[in-house]
Amino acid sequence: MVTLRPMSPETWQAWAERANAAHVEEMVGLGRWPVEGAEARSAKEFEGPLPAGRATPGHSFLWILRDDGETVGSVWVGPDVEIGLGSLFIWDLLIEAEFRGEGYGRATMAALEPFARELGYSSIRLHVFGSNEMARNLYRSSGYVETDVTMLKPI
């Protein structure tokens, strides 16, 4: 139902800018970061796992294409700890809003399994915010289990 295709250097740059902006919006919206300095903080976090940007070894930046070739989303995966050992980590997954609820998220999760095995990984790991119930349901229904939970109470 979906094919994963590597991003070109040109499309990666546009994707990276959009991913950073979305991360800023999410972190500010959750109240985890103040607006002031959020863009710089996001850029610094992005550079942590990607010291060489798109060329960082072990990281893949992929477009998610449906059968007719239309792009329905994107996914960034890379090593959790060490390339080819332990878990492949899903750093970012986006299904475009107009394609959500049509099975592309589930198809992407399924397509990542053989991709990860080919790279030598025995599992796939990810992080999801507790408030993102749609994504949490997708991951649970795809066979993922919660391994830890962080909780917060504003006072």
Side-chain angles (χ1 to χ4, degrees):
M1 184 168 179
V2 299
T3 302
L4 304 176
R5 187 188 74 205
M7 294 178 190
S8 68
E10 299 79 23
T11 59
W12 180 85
Q13 186 60 47
W15 168 86
E17 291 169 11
R18 182 177 177 199
N20 269 313
H23 188 60
V24 166
E25 184 178 322
E26 188 165 40
M27 297 303 275
V28 169
L30 289 169
R32 296 186 69 182
W33 294 351
V35 173
E36 186 176 317
E39 288 183 24
R41 188 170 180 177
S42 181
K44 186 173 182 174
E45 276 195 7
F46 195 75
E47 290 171 4
L50 296 174
R54 182 179 177 274
T56 301
H59 289 262
S60 298
F61 304 90
L62 309 163
W63 293 119
I64 303 165
L65 307 174
R66 66 183 185 186
D67 290 339
D68 67 1
E70 184 168 2
T71 301
V72 297
S74 59
V75 61
W76 162 25
V77 295
D80 186 10
V81 178
E82 191 173 337
I83 297 172
L85 297 175
S87 297
L88 180 69
F89 193 80
I90 300 173
W91 290 92
D92 187 68
L93 170 63
L94 171 73
I95 301 298
E96 298 293 345
E98 64 267 29
F99 299 111
R100 292 181 192 153
E102 297 181 29
Y104 297 115
R106 187 171 326 288
T108 299
M109 300 307 290
L112 284 172
E113 292 179 19
F115 182 84
R117 277 193 294 277
E118 288 174 17
L119 294 174
Y121 294 99
S122 59
S123 61
I124 301 173
R125 204 170 74 79
L126 56 87
H127 170 270
V128 62
F129 289 108
S131 61
N132 192 343
E133 200 59 42
M134 179 183 281
R136 291 177 72 199
N137 286 334
L138 166 66
Y139 302 140
R140 285 185 201 115
S141 69
S142 296
Y144 288 72
V145 295
E146 293 179 354
T147 57
D148 55 55
V149 177
T150 301
M151 300 178 82
L152 170 83
K153 179 182 179 181
I155 54 170

